[in-house]
Amino acid sequence: IRGVPQDDHEVVRFGQLLSTLRATDWGLCFNVRTKPDEAKKDNEGVKKDFQLLHAIEHCSCPEGEAPCDDCQVMNYMVDAYYIAELLRKEDPEAFKLLCEVEVRFENNGGDGGSALVHVAPHFELEGGHGSGHSLRAVRFSSKSGQYAPPLSLEKLAAFYSARRRFSELAHAPKYVLSLQFKPGDLLIFDNQRLLHARSGIAPTDGERWVQGAYFDRDGLWLNYERWRRRAAASE
């Protein structure tokens, strides 16, 4: 979404139009700046349903010319469902392992002042582990641990091989969508489907301030039904 007002906490106001927001250790929104401060990003392992990222201050390039000398930082998005389905076709046993083995995601808030822990498999299916079931969620974040449980040496080696192959596919350039924020841009995406990252920030990129928030899938449907019924009652 382009042209969103570049105001502090605008991401909160916008997100609440859509759903109920999920609070983090830092309130209803978090800050990502070019220089380290107390506002660190929330735990990626505990996958909230949807995420919003709002570029309050950001460099930019002419349309269609990113990256450029004045703005080299890029954002990357990967459809994890698509990558997981590639793995399912290529190696069904590897796919099955990533559905069955529960790993531990954790984050200490960046300063050791808190602890968020979540145990779940990398791939979650609708209705079970059967080969015909569709994906419900993908969880993958190397910064949040992903610690495997005790397994036999043979199974552990197969599990790590499966996860490594998923990572290789997810990092293949042909599957990566590259984009660059402009000031006032607001990106909304399904956090249980899309993997996201960014490139390094060059000294010439200047000040960068991105504010983010999370909202729930249930709240999204709640608001949809609320507005749908109001519209039907007014007809």
Side-chain angles (χ1 to χ4, degrees):
I1 300 171
R2 292 277 168 88
V4 176
Q6 294 166 243
D7 299 327
D8 189 12
H9 283 73
E10 178 65 22
V11 70
V12 172
R13 185 199 68 81
F14 195 98
Q16 288 175 333
L17 294 174
L18 302 174
S19 179
T20 50
L21 297 188
R22 285 281 299 275
T24 72
D25 278 354
W26 307 278
L28 290 178
C29 66
F30 59 87
N31 295 281
V32 182
R33 296 180 182 268
T34 53
K35 49 191 177 184
D37 62 9
E38 72 281 359
K40 305 290 185 179
K41 192 173 181 182
D42 196 20
N43 183 16
E44 285 296 324
V46 186
K47 284 285 189 179
K48 285 78 175 174
D49 292 341
F50 287 88
Q51 184 167 339
L52 305 94
L53 293 174
H54 179 214
I56 299 176
E57 296 178 13
H58 206 284
C59 59
S60 63
C61 297
E63 194 68 36
E65 297 183 18
C68 61
D69 290 341
D70 293 332
C71 192
Q72 298 181 41
V73 61
M74 298 291 292
N75 289 83
Y76 305 122
M77 312 290 291
V78 175
D79 184 349
Y81 282 17
Y82 182 78
I83 301 301
E85 291 298 344
L86 289 178
L87 183 64
R88 179 166 10 201
K89 292 178 182 177
E90 177 183 293
D91 189 341
E93 287 304 312
F95 180 90
K96 184 179 179 183
L97 274 173
L98 295 182
C99 292
E100 293 178 344
V101 176
E102 295 188 339
V103 298
R104 189 177 82 253
F105 298 94
E106 60 183 45
N107 191 285
N108 68 0
D111 59 2
S114 63
L116 288 169
V117 178
H118 186 64
V119 178
H122 286 291
F123 300 164
E124 181 181 347
L125 299 180
E126 298 279 3
H129 301 319
S131 60
H133 291 291
S134 59
L135 285 155
R136 174 184 290 170
V138 172
R139 305 173 181 89
F140 188 78
S141 175
S142 57
K143 69 181 282 291
S144 300
Q146 306 186 140
Y147 303 115
L151 299 169
S152 68
L153 290 179
E154 181 181 3
K155 188 170 184 179
L156 188 64
F159 169 76
Y160 281 138
S161 177
R163 189 164 72 181
R164 189 177 304 112
R165 181 54 182 155
F166 174 78
S167 181
E168 289 171 351
L169 289 169
H171 284 84
K174 64 181 177 179
Y175 300 131
V176 177
L177 171 66
S178 300
L179 56 94
Q180 187 180 83
F181 284 140
K182 293 182 180 294
D185 283 358
L186 194 152
L187 178 66
I188 305 173
F189 57 94
D190 187 338
N191 209 31
Q192 295 188 346
R193 176 165 184 161
L194 293 182
L195 304 177
H196 64 285
R198 66 161 174 81
S199 68
I201 300 173
T204 54
D205 288 349
E207 190 73 19
R208 182 178 186 267
W209 180 13
V210 175
Q211 203 163 66
Y214 302 100
F215 67 83
D216 291 324
R217 196 178 306 274
D218 288 347
L220 183 66
W221 287 111
L222 170 67
N223 274 358
Y224 168 78
E225 282 298 324
R226 177 182 292 144
W227 288 107
R228 184 184 69 81
R229 296 180 189 206
R230 285 178 183 175
S234 63
E235 290 179 356

